[in-house]
Every structure is written in structure tokens, then in C-alpha cells.
Amino acid sequence: MTDIAFQSQARLLVLLHAAAAIVLVGSTTHHFIVAFGYARRRYKVKLGRIYAAIVLAAYPATFLLGALAYPTYRYHVRALYFDRHAVWASNLFDIKENFAALGLPLVVGIFVLSRIMKPKEDRSMLVGYVAMATLLVAIVWFNVVSGVLITMERGV
Amino acid sequence: MSQPGEPVPASEPRPRMSKAQAVYVALSAAAIAFALSFAWPAYAPTSVFWYYPLERRWALEVKPSGLAMDWYGRCLLSTLIAVVAFAVVHLVARRLRPLTRRGHGLWAAWMVTAVLLAMALYASQLAMRNPVPEPLPSWYVPK
């Protein structure tokens, strides 16, 4: 057998990864709706700040839990199964992991801007804020749907 | 105070970018730097840290010699570059003139373009990839 880091905890890690992803998809979607509301002159600033803070906690948690389970996936799932029997899942996972990394600076950007920006007065700053929120919600939804599809094919 | 259209007297300080605007520009620059540096190894061969899960070791190299993962290394590299970009741009931006509405829009457009370019590059390279499967070990039992 193999001695891969966190192999014995991999199933628990993926379960927690999924739980954190549930929080993440909810908070990111709600945050996007609030940010989009700013553009339509509906200012729920306090709510926007709360969701941005939840995203800041949930995204790195989801990311870290996935990163810890990744070595087990890489050998036992991808190398021994997906690369042989389900190439689409192998490729989709790699696309998902790269998209997830690209979301990291957006999470930080959204949190910081939600704290310093005054949506009523800083209308010109809104364009960047809404752009970050839109990219992030797209990445999170793509990754959640991809993650479910991949795990339906085979898990750790 | 000078009126609009009048030349600014030498003694009057030149208007500078506000703290919030400087942070906005620096965050946009950091996101751009992260996206481009993350995509770069997929475009041109670059030395990054590879993790060998079966051997539990790290190696700084362009191409791996066995089953290895470069995702951690690319994440680390891009995070470092993004942090440096944030610090440098924030420092410089504080000395520049206030950002116009168009400037805000341009930074947002560059940021979106950089992230979408990186996503498109990885999606196009990986969607049609044909990975070479690892040989099955003797203990392997198909589920």
C-alpha cells in the first residue's frame, strides 16, 4: 500500500470540504446579489460586509481542506482510475482546481473593498467590486457543480 | 484654494489618490499579477515546486520525473507575486493623482481580462488532454 499524506483522513477531509463548500456557495451567491443591488442603488451595506466576511472564512477553509485531500485523490482516484476510465473527470478536476486558485485574490479583494468602500458615494469603485463578485460567484458555482459530478464518478 | 481652470500655485500640494482608491488599484493589480503568474507556467516552461505524493518530497523543477503535482507550487508562486504587486502598486499609487471614473473602469476591465485569460488558457489546455495512466500496483483491487 501507499503512504500518502492525510490518506487515512481523506474521506473526512472531503466531507468537511463539501460542508465548507455549501457555506461558500450560499455566502458567495448572497454576496453577489447584494453587490449587484449596489449597482441598482439598493444599499444593504451591512449585509454585504457580513457575506464578504463569511466568504473570506469559507473560501480558504474549502480551499485548504481540498488541498489536504488532494494527494490522496491524485494517486488513488486520478492516477489509478480517472486517467484510465474517466478522462473527462480527470480533466474537469484539474480545470476546477486552477479556477479555485484564481478565485483567491478575488476573495481578499471583495473583503477589503467591502470594508473600505461606501457604495452610495464611491459609485466608480463599484465596477471593480461587482466584477470581482461576478467572477467569484461564477468560479464557485462552476467548482461546486464540477465537484459533485466528479465525486459522483468516484471519490477518495 | 485655486479655482478650476486656474494654474495650481507651487505652494499648494498636488491632489493625491485617496487611501481607498490606492487600495482599489493595488487589489486590482494583485489580482492581475496572480492570474498572469498562475497562467505563466502553462504557457512557458517555468521552474516551480512540484510535490511527489508517493515519495512525500518537494522538488524545484520544470518537468517532474514521476507522479507529481505542481498546483501547490503554482499557488505559492502566484501568492508571493500578488503580495509583492499589491505592496509596490499601493506604494506608488499613493503618490499619483486621484483616479478618474474611467481609471476605475480600466483597472476593473484589466483585472477581469487577466482572470478570464488565465481561466481560458487552462480550460483549453485541459479539456482535451489525454493523460497517461499510472501502472496499476499489485495490491490494487478494482471497486
Side-chain angles (χ1 to χ4, degrees):
Chain A
M1 281 295 281
T2 54
D3 179 31
I4 294 173
F6 302 105
Q7 186 177 322
S8 56
Q9 297 93 11
R11 285 192 171 209
L12 176 65
L13 287 169
V14 173
L15 184 68
L16 295 173
H17 175 65
I22 292 169
V23 177
L24 179 62
V25 79
S27 55
T28 314
T29 307
H30 281 90
H31 176 265
F32 169 72
I33 292 166
V34 171
F36 199 71
Y38 293 165
R40 300 174 66 203
R41 299 184 189 280
R42 289 180 187 168
Y43 304 106
K44 294 179 179 172
V45 180
K46 200 174 174 186
L47 205 56
R49 286 181 178 168
I50 290 169
Y51 285 134
I54 297 170
V55 171
L56 183 75
Y59 201 97
T62 311
F63 194 86
L64 187 68
L65 288 162
L68 292 177
Y70 189 23
T72 307
Y73 159 83
R74 179 65 184 83
Y75 184 63
H76 287 282
V77 181
R78 189 188 143 185
L80 298 185
Y81 186 83
F82 280 171
D83 285 354
R84 191 170 272 108
H85 303 295
V87 170
W88 68 267
S90 175
N91 294 349
L92 184 61
F93 183 93
D94 282 14
I95 292 171
K96 166 180 122 74
E97 63 165 14
N98 288 312
F99 284 10
L102 290 165
L104 279 174
L106 304 177
V107 172
V108 178
I110 283 168
F111 176 75
V112 175
L113 288 181
S114 78
R115 298 279 144 175
I116 62 167
M117 190 183 67
K118 294 175 185 123
K120 261 186 193 173
E121 297 146 39
D122 301 334
R123 295 290 302 170
S124 48
M125 209 178 275
L126 261 183
V127 64
Y129 186 70
V130 174
M132 283 183 182
T134 308
L135 280 173
L136 191 69
V137 79
I139 288 171
V140 167
W141 271 99
F142 176 83
N143 282 11
V144 166
V145 172
S146 304
V148 171
L149 288 172
I150 292 160
T151 314
M152 279 161 64
E153 186 69 20
R154 199 180 184 94
V156 287
Chain B
M1 275 295 279
S2 59
Q3 294 301 310
E6 281 180 14
V8 180
S11 58
E12 206 169 297
R14 204 177 63 156
R16 296 274 169 91
M17 200 179 279
S18 69
K19 195 178 169 188
Q21 283 186 345
V23 170
Y24 174 87
V25 171
L27 285 171
S28 304
I32 293 166
F34 189 99
L36 296 182
S37 60
F38 192 76
W40 184 254
Y43 177 73
T46 309
S47 277
V48 289
F49 279 105
W50 289 80
Y51 179 64
Y52 290 77
L54 295 173
E55 300 148 54
R56 288 190 175 212
R57 70 178 176 91
W58 295 85
L60 182 66
E61 54 200 11
V62 178
K63 280 202 170 187
S65 54
L67 183 91
M69 308 142 77
D70 68 340
W71 181 75
Y72 300 116
R74 282 185 289 122
C75 286
L76 183 70
L77 172 78
S78 303
T79 304
L80 291 174
I81 289 174
V83 168
V84 171
F86 179 89
V88 171
V89 173
H90 186 259
L91 207 68
V92 173
R94 288 288 276 160
R95 295 160 196 274
L96 300 177
R97 282 181 299 174
L99 203 59
T100 60
R101 191 181 177 82
R102 188 166 177 268
H104 280 92
L106 276 174
W107 275 105
W110 288 331
M111 187 262 299
V112 171
T113 305
V115 174
L116 289 180
L117 265 177
M119 289 170 77
L121 179 68
Y122 277 111
S124 64
Q125 283 190 354
L126 293 167
M128 296 299 155
R129 182 184 60 175
N130 277 312
V132 180
E134 285 288 305
L136 292 174
S138 57
W139 50 260
Y140 184 73
V141 180
K143 279 197 248 181

